[in-house]
Amino acid sequence: MKTNKIINKLIAYARDNLMLDALDEVYTAGRLSSLCGVTPEYEEVECDETFDKLFAELKAAAPNVDKTAVLDILLPLPHTVNYYFSDELDRNANKAFDFVYELYAADGNAVSSDGYAFYTDSEATDRAVSIPVGNDELEYTPVVGGVKKAYMSCPDILTSDVTSRMAAYAETYGGVIVKRVGDDGYLTANTTALDNAVVKEQIKSGAVKIALLDYPVPALKISGIAKNATAREAARIINAAADENIKTVTACTAKDGVTFYVVFANDLQSDDIFKSTDALAACGVVGTVDLKEITSVLEKGTALSTDLFAFKPVYAAVGGVKHGAKAKTALAGALAKLYAPVLAKAASADAEKAKALAAAAETEEL
């Protein structure tokens, strides 16, 4: 039966990619067969196809099957994943994160240019792992797709709690951690456009430096070797903005000490291409509509069909020639240029106000 052939390939995929033990293969095949309403016919096969392709085949054969239900059967139990993740985290944080992202990976489509990252096919898993941040043990929930992204849940009371926790995460794990102060959770990513932005004006020098960045919306860079002093300075600026009802997004990275970015941005408005409105979007990690079709057009140099009309600005920016293997690079550059004015419209303050807030914050107490 065709359905069982697909199930057998899924078992092979899970054996090679999802930690499925050989002793559990027959049992797991039986559970999948039951889910699909067929009699089990298990035999060992080899498979080099992606999960998304296999699930599409299964969906065609068994239309009522649910993707989450299939993954729940194939993936190891959350406590098993957490055990392996925590064990590796003690030895090599990068390998630990690679492990959990590769385990939960789906076929994603991501392109990047000038620090901006544009991703599609990203979805949250409800399988969190435990991650120590400072004195807290937090839930880290990977979002699978083309960009390493996660949600981290932890309620905050004071702005100083926010900045100290962000500094602890950045210093321990690298990457980027982002929060819109007042929200319940944090977002993490492996990239940000803010690191690529040049300094427009140096506002303060000394142990803690503050600079206004050349970014589509006003953004202050607060940096220094002394982690705690840098975190306090960032908290003062965030509080000064909050006192005037100015929305900010705060990002933190571990680069030359600890660096905070306070981005003066409201939620972004979606358009035909860009759909992300969360805090990461203000930092240049941007959700888009599906890019696969326009990527194919740029690879082959074909004409833009009417159903891809939303991509007309991208197509015009890139040019209607055949880009082949360089299509994603060309696409990323065009998206970065198109995104800048979208982000600029989200500004919650102008550059002069941002500088004034930084100066006023020097005398503020938390």
Side-chain angles (χ1 to χ4, degrees):
M1 183 182 286
K2 181 179 179 182
T3 304
N4 275 306
K5 288 182 179 179
I6 302 166
I7 288 172
N8 292 340
K9 289 195 291 183
L10 278 164
I11 296 299
Y13 175 87
R15 182 180 63 238
D16 294 340
N17 301 281
L18 304 181
M19 301 171 63
L20 180 64
D21 192 281
L23 294 174
D24 294 327
E25 290 179 19
V26 175
Y27 169 74
T28 305
R31 291 182 65 196
L32 283 178
S33 298
S34 178
L35 181 70
C36 298
V38 297
T39 304
E41 295 177 6
Y42 179 66
E43 62 176 307
E44 188 172 323
V45 299
E46 298 296 323
C47 178
D48 59 2
E49 297 176 34
T50 65
F51 174 78
D52 276 8
K53 186 173 186 302
L54 290 170
F55 179 74
E57 292 177 14
L58 187 66
K59 188 76 173 174
N64 294 326
V65 73
D66 179 72
K67 185 177 183 179
T68 301
V70 172
L71 282 171
D72 278 342
I73 292 172
L74 293 176
L75 285 167
L77 291 171
H79 80 271
T80 302
V81 178
N82 194 69
Y83 171 80
Y84 280 98
F85 174 78
S86 299
D87 187 54
E88 190 61 62
L89 197 64
D90 291 337
R91 294 192 296 268
N92 188 312
N94 286 333
K95 286 185 178 180
F97 288 121
D98 285 345
F99 158 73
V100 76
Y101 275 95
E102 288 170 8
L103 181 66
Y104 293 138
D107 284 346
N109 188 11
V111 295
S112 60
S113 177
D114 298 327
Y116 291 94
F118 305 96
Y119 67 90
T120 54
D121 297 333
S122 189
E123 57 188 69
T125 172
D126 58 359
R127 293 166 173 262
V129 290
S130 181
I131 178 171
V133 178
N135 296 321
D136 300 308
E137 195 80 15
L138 306 181
E139 283 194 344
Y140 182 93
T141 306
V143 180
V144 296
V147 173
K148 283 188 178 175
K149 177 181 172 184
Y151 296 104
M152 217 158 60
S153 178
C154 188
D156 293 298
I157 300 173
L158 302 173
T159 307
S160 55
D161 294 337
V162 175
T163 54
S164 63
R165 185 172 291 121
M166 295 178 86
Y169 175 91
E171 189 177 54
T172 307
Y173 304 114
V176 187
I177 183 164
V178 178
K179 183 176 176 68
R180 188 185 295 282
V181 176
D183 290 350
D184 288 336
Y186 293 81
L187 290 159
T188 72
N190 57 330
T191 184
T192 174
L194 291 159
D195 281 336
N196 291 60
V198 299
V199 172
K200 192 174 185 178
E201 183 179 345
Q202 194 72 35
I203 299 171
K204 179 182 177 183
S205 299
V208 179
K209 302 177 179 64
I210 303 178
L212 179 71
L213 297 182
D214 187 9
Y215 201 64
V217 292
L220 296 175
K221 177 181 179 180
I222 304 103
S223 58
I225 300 300
K227 176 183 68 175
N228 292 336
T230 306
R232 285 195 298 270
E233 194 79 45
R236 290 190 179 100
I237 293 172
I238 295 165
N239 282 338
D243 288 343
E244 299 199 31
N245 295 315
I246 296 173
K247 287 189 176 181
T248 60
V249 174
T250 305
C252 185
T253 66
K255 200 171 185 179
D256 300 325
V258 168
T259 298
F260 282 88
Y261 299 98
V262 178
V263 184
F264 296 85
N266 295 295
D267 286 334
L268 275 66
Q269 296 297 312
S270 298
D271 64 14
D272 289 340
I273 298 173
F274 305 114
K275 66 179 184 179
S276 181
T277 59
D278 63 25
L280 275 181
C283 302
V285 182
V286 188
T288 69
V289 295
D290 197 342
L291 298 173
K292 291 189 181 74
E293 294 297 327
I294 186 64
T295 304
S296 178
V297 167
L298 298 176
E299 285 173 346
K300 299 172 185 175
T302 54
L304 194 68
S305 61
T306 54
D307 59 322
L308 295 178
F309 184 77
F311 289 108
K312 187 175 180 181
V314 178
Y315 187 77
V318 173
V321 297
K322 183 176 180 179
H323 289 268
K326 296 182 179 179
K328 285 189 176 182
T329 302
L331 174 60
L335 287 172
K337 289 176 183 176
L338 290 171
Y339 181 65
V342 174
L343 178 56
K345 289 179 183 178
S348 62
D350 59 23
E352 292 306 313
K353 188 63 180 176
K355 290 191 290 183
L357 287 167
E362 291 187 36
T363 57
E364 291 287 332
E365 293 295 329
L366 295 181

